[in-house]
Each structure stands twice: as structure tokens, then as C-alpha cells.
Amino acid sequence: MIKNYLKTAFRMLRKNRIYSLINILGLTIGLSACMIVATVVIDDLSYDRQWSKGNDLYRIIALNKMGAGIYNRSSSSYAGLAGKLKADYPEVQAVAAMTTIKERLKLNDNNANGVEVAALRTDTSFWKMLDTKLLAGNPEKYVEGIRNIVITESFSNKFFVKENPVGKIIYNVPAYGEKS
């Protein structure tokens, strides 16, 4: 029975080639456009869902004019913007600067070249904005003026297998020609 339907459909496609091509092409373009729009919408709606204050979080995107009709978008802002936002807008509760970087860390004396890791550099306002779960340590006891580090559980399990990493000193290994 299905075989007969397929035969009939194939014959109709062959008989009306141009009409069939227009219909199939239109259907393909329509479905592709629908999937692209759905992907963008799903992606936009997925941001900050993991945070309890996700509806109150905002990201600054700077749009810099580079020339006639040429713009550069970056997730950075000018130095005084954080203080100005807090001063001018009472609804701003906290501002945190966050930057993703690559760091080379020396974990112990046996590890001369260090380990390259992806890191998130931020300030202490981070703890007011994002509700992260700490397994050990206390962010309120961080030492002012010294770069403190928070490591993930997977990093701890990989590099501090038999010891507790809390209170350990981890050195930053400078890249060639750079000062630490």
C-alpha cells in the first residue's frame, strides 16, 4: 500500500519537475529559516538560567565605531562605568568586572613549566551576583591586595589528588618576556 503511494508521488514529481522543484525548494528554505530563528531564540532564552538572580543580571557590550560603517562589539566597558552606574542608578546593587583569560600556573616545585588553564578573572562583587556553591574555603577571608584563586572540583581532583588545596600557594608562570 505504501509502495503505491511512493510510486504515485515519484511519478508526480517527475511529471511536474519545475512545480515540484519550486515546492521542495520553498519548503526547504522555510524550514531552514524556522530552525535558524528557533536556534537564536532558544540560545537567547538560555542565558543566566542557572543563576537565582538571572533576571537581574546584565552584561555591558561596548559598540566602538572603527570607521565608516565599521563597528567593533566587545564585552568591555570604560574604567569609570561601574562607579557611575552605581551612583546614578539606585537599582544597581552590585557591579563585577569579569574577564576570561589563559593563565599558566605553577602548582608545586615539580611542575617547573606550570599548567595552562582557562580562568575567569573577577572581583569580590562576583559573590553577591552569582550564587556559586563552594566546597571548601570562605570568600570573606580572601586577602586584600593578593590575587586569590578559586578552583573547580575537577581541577582539584586532577592536580591536588591527595591534599587539600585550601591555603596552598599557586604561582603564576609568566609568558616569555612578561613579568609575573
Side-chain angles (χ1 to χ4, degrees):
M1 182 128 173
I2 294 176
K3 188 176 178 183
N4 290 338
Y5 289 129
L6 290 174
K7 269 187 185 179
T8 305
F10 186 69
R11 285 180 186 154
M12 291 302 290
L13 286 174
R14 236 185 339 167
K15 184 178 178 185
N16 303 315
R17 288 183 182 158
I18 294 177
Y19 180 72
S20 299
L21 178 69
I22 291 171
N23 278 334
I24 292 171
L25 192 62
L27 182 64
T28 303
I29 291 171
L31 285 174
S32 298
C34 182
M35 284 192 269
I36 289 171
V37 168
T39 302
V40 169
V41 169
I42 289 169
D43 185 52
D44 281 350
L45 292 176
S46 70
Y47 284 163
D48 298 329
R49 291 278 185 217
Q50 70 271 26
W51 310 116
S52 64
K53 300 175 186 173
N55 290 335
D56 297 328
L57 297 176
Y58 296 91
R59 182 178 182 190
I60 303 293
I61 302 291
L63 185 64
N64 299 315
K65 186 172 184 177
M66 306 301 283
I70 302 171
Y71 294 93
N72 179 26
R73 290 173 48 119
S74 65
S75 59
S76 61
S77 63
Y78 299 104
L81 184 63
K84 190 74 173 153
L85 283 174
K86 286 187 83 164
D88 291 352
Y89 299 97
E91 58 268 21
V92 174
Q93 298 169 1
V95 178
M98 295 181 206
T99 308
T100 55
I101 57 171
K102 292 269 188 197
E103 287 277 359
R104 184 166 292 278
L105 304 174
K106 182 179 174 186
L107 307 174
N108 54 39
D109 292 332
N110 302 333
N111 168 277
N113 293 331
V115 185
E116 188 168 310
V117 296
L120 176 69
R121 183 177 286 170
T122 185
D123 54 27
T124 54
S125 296
F126 171 87
W127 301 109
K128 297 175 190 169
M129 298 170 63
L130 305 177
D131 38 82
T132 55
K133 181 180 137 188
L134 288 177
L135 300 177
N138 185 352
E140 293 170 7
K141 292 186 177 182
Y142 287 161
V143 180
E144 184 72 31
I146 296 177
R147 289 176 48 190
N148 297 279
I149 186 168
V150 177
I151 60 174
T152 62
E153 185 177 13
S154 60
F155 185 89
S156 176
N157 291 340
K158 184 174 182 181
F159 296 107
F160 295 99
V161 180
K162 296 179 182 175
E163 58 185 326
N164 183 1
V166 176
K168 299 286 183 212
I169 296 176
I170 298 175
Y171 296 97
N172 186 354
V173 178
Y176 180 74
E178 211 178 80
K179 293 183 179 179
S180 59

